[in-house]
Amino acid sequence: MAGDPQTERRQRSNRVIAASGFAFVAGMVGMAYAAVPLYAMFCQITGYGGTTQRVEQYSDKILDRKITVRFDANVSGGLPWDFKPVQRDVTMRIGETTQIAYQARNEFNVPTAGRASFNVTPELAGAYFNKVECFCFTDTSLKPGEALDMPVVFYVDPDIVNVPELAHLKTITLSYTFFPIDATKPVAVAPNGKDARTEPKTQTTEIGG
């Protein structure tokens, strides 16, 4: 016995609507995932949000004018690291290539891992802060009590003096923040199943010692 044509049309319409809705949701999810790397690429190209520039070559022009770069360090998401710059600031000539270092130490008695993001302030200066070498966006794993020196090689683009808003800028702050690589899982759990933060810390050796 043939079915009701009106009922069949309604069922086909419902299937089309359901399929369209699924495709829309899937497309939105895909766009959300794609937006993250695209936004990061946009920031790196434009310096938007204080994102610094990554370059392969050193500056071929050095000005007599000096500028001070301050260094800031943070950890987030419960990452159990002591993270800090080796020196709090450096004063150099604009266009001069300079190397500094940050230090990280795992203070848990189990291995932990993190990844660093960065920015500079004022944000407009991000387009003129050029890094030749850095540890940003690199997965870094540290054993219990392990310490690591992480160099940063950079220079301030001489073109910064041609920007009216930055022409008289005297100080730039470079800030790094380390996050756990997988923030959805506990940072570390001791072998006996207890929270590692309640376990006694292992004896460590100071960096450079």
Side-chain angles (χ1 to χ4, degrees):
M1 181 176 179
D4 182 7
Q6 186 175 359
T7 301
E8 292 179 355
R9 285 197 298 271
R10 188 184 308 112
Q11 290 175 344
R12 285 198 299 269
S13 177
N14 290 339
R15 286 194 292 269
V16 170
I17 293 173
S20 299
F22 177 80
F24 175 78
V25 171
M28 292 299 293
V29 171
M31 290 177 62
Y33 278 101
V36 174
L38 289 175
Y39 179 77
M41 183 182 300
F42 168 76
C43 290
Q44 291 177 356
I45 293 174
T46 64
Y48 180 77
T51 303
T52 66
Q53 306 302 294
R54 187 67 185 268
V55 296
E56 302 294 335
Q57 71 282 348
Y58 300 104
S59 173
D60 57 2
K61 180 180 179 182
I62 300 177
L63 307 182
D64 289 333
R65 177 180 160 185
K66 292 185 177 182
I67 192 166
T68 298
V69 178
R70 295 174 179 169
F71 307 108
D72 178 52
N74 307 277
V75 291
S76 185
L79 188 65
W81 287 8
D82 177 24
F83 176 53
K84 60 188 177 183
V86 173
Q87 58 191 104
R88 290 298 175 182
D89 58 70
V90 64
T91 299
M92 74 282 190
R93 291 187 294 171
I94 294 177
E96 179 182 3
T97 300
T98 302
Q99 177 172 325
I100 58 96
Y102 279 76
Q103 297 175 338
R105 179 193 302 278
N106 179 13
E107 296 193 320
F108 268 18
N109 57 359
V110 291
T112 54
R115 183 185 301 129
S117 64
F118 61 90
N119 73 300
V120 302
T121 51
E123 293 185 356
L124 189 59
Y128 302 91
F129 195 98
N130 295 329
K131 290 191 297 183
V132 181
E133 179 182 350
C134 73
F135 54 88
C136 49
F137 303 126
T138 300
D139 293 355
T140 303
S141 299
L142 296 177
K143 298 176 183 178
E146 182 182 7
L148 179 67
D149 281 358
M150 296 172 287
V152 181
V153 181
F154 66 94
Y155 66 88
V156 178
D157 192 326
D159 286 343
I160 196 172
V161 300
N162 299 323
V163 181
E165 299 87 343
L166 302 174
H168 303 290
L169 183 66
K170 297 184 181 299
T171 303
I172 294 175
T173 299
L174 173 64
S175 179
Y176 282 93
T177 300
F178 256 107
F179 297 87
I181 288 179
D182 189 352
T184 63
K185 296 180 181 179
V187 171
V189 177
N192 59 9
K194 296 181 180 179
D195 187 333
R197 284 171 288 191
T198 64
E199 297 294 304
K201 297 181 180 178
T202 57
Q203 184 66 34
T204 60
T205 303
E206 292 295 325
I207 296 175

